[in-house]
Amino acid sequence: MDCTCGSCYWPKSSTSQTLQPLVQIAASVPATALFPVLLLFLARLGGGLQIGSVALMMLGTMWYILFNVIAGAQAIPSELFEAASIYKLSLVLRWQTVILPGIFPYLITGMITAVGGAWNASIVSEYVQFQNQTLITPGLGSLISQATETGNYPLLFASTAVMSLLVVLTNRLIWRKLYQFARSKYQLL
């Protein structure tokens, strides 16, 4: 069933109306709250902290991307879907000409935000006190956590400066160009 309020542009089904609140509830649980449970599960399977770190980063970032893509899909004018329907575009052509161009700038925005979340998750997930032991996986996040715990402020400052430099360089060299490309090539309005 399509929304008739006039402000929604994405056709809404009863499934999406049912699932969206459930997804929002799931997204409200911080990924770090799930990390101990994830580590217990991985410990029983024989997986290590490296897998757990990657899983935490994915849990911590997927919501940024998902909600931005949903916002992008909802921002696509309904007239474009109607035109695609009138011209009987196949599902592949609809994705190529309407949906992907419509969500691409939002996807890039979600990815930019998600990378920030991944950096934060790396600090939490690479150096963990768990079941009376300290688990460490090599990385900038564990270096920052170790420096914080031991009070090694020169190392903390240096590792934080390196992380900041990496973030700035990534934003300047990759994300800014990709975002400008997305806005210039795929702007619908």
Side-chain angles (χ1 to χ4, degrees), residues 37 48 50 55 76 91 94 102 124 135 143 149 152 159 171 186:
V37 176
Q50 292 174 335
I76 298 172
L91 183 60
R94 285 180 196 214
V124 173
L135 305 173
L143 192 62
E149 186 175 312
N152 187 343
S159 55
N171 284 342
Y186 294 115

Side-chain angles (χ1 to χ4, degrees), residues 13-150:
S13 67
S14 60
T15 304
S16 68
Q17 288 176 341
T18 303
L19 289 178
Q20 194 163 6
L22 296 174
V23 169
Q24 288 174 347
I25 290 169
S28 70
V29 176
T32 52
L34 301 174
F35 196 51
V37 176
L38 180 66
L39 279 179
L40 278 173
F41 178 72
L42 288 172
R44 291 176 197 239
L45 290 178
L49 185 60
Q50 292 174 335
I51 295 170
S53 295
V54 171
L56 180 64
M57 286 185 232
M58 289 174 57
L59 283 171
T61 60
M62 68 183 184
W63 303 116
Y64 297 112
I65 296 170
L66 177 66
F67 288 124
N68 273 283
V69 168
I70 289 171
Q74 289 178 336
I76 298 172
S78 61
E79 293 83 7
L80 292 177
F81 288 108
E82 290 172 18
S85 179
I86 289 169
Y87 287 111
K88 296 182 172 72
L89 295 182
S90 68
L91 183 60
V92 171
L93 275 176
R94 285 180 196 214
W95 271 93
Q96 289 176 340
T97 59
V98 177
I99 298 170
L100 287 177
I103 65 171
F104 191 71
Y106 294 85
L107 175 63
I108 298 302
T109 301
M111 291 168 62
I112 292 168
T113 311
V115 167
W119 279 113
N120 291 335
S122 75
I123 294 169
V124 173
S125 67
E126 292 177 355
Y127 184 85
V128 178
Q129 304 262 333
F130 185 69
Q131 292 183 337
N132 297 324
Q133 56 182 328
T134 301
L135 305 173
I136 301 171
T137 189
L140 193 53
S142 65
L143 192 62
I144 290 171
S145 294
Q146 283 178 307
T148 301
E149 186 175 312
T150 61

Side-chain angles (χ1 to χ4, degrees), residues 136-188:
I136 301 171
T137 189
L140 193 53
S142 65
L143 192 62
I144 290 171
S145 294
Q146 283 178 307
T148 301
E149 186 175 312
T150 61
N152 187 343
Y153 297 112
L155 180 60
L156 177 61
F157 177 76
S159 55
T160 303
V162 167
M163 181 180 280
S164 298
L165 180 64
L166 288 170
V167 168
V168 169
L169 286 174
T170 304
N171 284 342
R172 298 277 182 196
L173 300 175
I174 298 171
W175 294 121
R176 179 181 280 180
K177 291 179 181 181
L178 196 54
Y179 189 74
Q180 288 170 346
F181 171 75
R183 287 199 54 161
S184 66
K185 179 130 173 97
Y186 294 115
Q187 190 168 4
L188 289 176

